[in-house]
Amino acid sequence: QIFLEGKTKVIEFKNVNFSYDKKQIFNNFNFNINDGERICLFAPSGYGKTTLLRLIMGLERPSSGKITGVENKRFSVVFQEDRLLPDKTVLENILLFGDDSKAVSILESLGLKDAINLYPNELSGGMARRVSIARALNRNSDIYIFDEPFNGIDKENLEKTAIIINKFTKDKIFIAVSHNPT
């Protein structure tokens, strides 16, 4: 770890190259993320946002260059898809990861108190998205990665969800990507 003006550089991309077949996504890409930093990246579809997240999590490997600082880190992830287990209730999906004592509190704060015993097929798209977010927030992690976190969430719940995300990821690395800055 390298110290920069009181912040510790945790994640570093150094001269990273990555391609899908012949389509170059990153060419000598350099990028640093400091401890406790909150990053939101906005770009149209196809610009490498999800690829960047996959590289950070180690789900993809660069063809050359180096990514450091992610070794032995605990990740909490919200993928583009909700990835809820269909045979588990909302509460059971949340309890798969993390802290049993705060699961119900997180669900309540996201307006999902009445959905605790429902199954994913009984949820609206926005509710399922908030359950996916609740599951990620329930785990005490070093790095929180949210890919298109607000997809399907109505305006009424959007601000409340953003406030809860900020509360539970405070002082942690938080990276969100979206194609829509609204």
Side-chain angles (χ1 to χ4, degrees), residues 45-76:
S45 295
Y47 274 70
K49 301 177 306 295
T50 297
T51 301
L52 176 73
L53 300 181
R54 292 179 62 80
L55 285 163
I56 290 170
M57 293 183 288
L59 299 175
E60 300 285 355
R61 301 269 183 234
S63 54
S64 64
K66 204 170 183 185
I67 301 169
T68 58
V70 294
E71 309 82 13
N72 303 314
K73 297 288 190 243
R74 291 175 311 216
F75 290 92
S76 282

Side-chain angles (χ1 to χ4, degrees), residues 84-129:
L84 301 175
L85 297 177
D87 62 334
K88 303 277 186 205
T89 66
V90 165
L91 184 58
E92 290 169 335
N93 266 282
I94 303 305
L95 294 177
L96 291 170
F97 303 101
D99 188 345
D100 293 0
S101 65
K102 70 179 185 179
V104 172
S105 169
I106 292 170
L107 287 168
E108 287 177 352
S109 65
L110 289 171
L112 296 166
K113 179 181 178 183
D114 295 335
I116 286 176
N117 294 313
L118 297 179
Y119 288 87
N121 68 340
E122 299 174 298
L123 303 174
S124 70
M127 289 172 76
R129 195 66 180 154

Side-chain angles (χ1 to χ4, degrees), residues 2 8 16 21 23 25-26 32 50 58 72 77 82 113 121 123 126 128 131 143 151 173:
I2 302 168
T8 304
V16 169
D21 295 322
K23 182 177 180 184
I25 306 297
F26 294 110
N32 296 319
T50 297
N72 303 314
V77 181
D82 297 319
K113 179 181 178 183
N121 68 340
L123 303 174
V131 171
I143 301 170
N151 273 358
I173 292 175

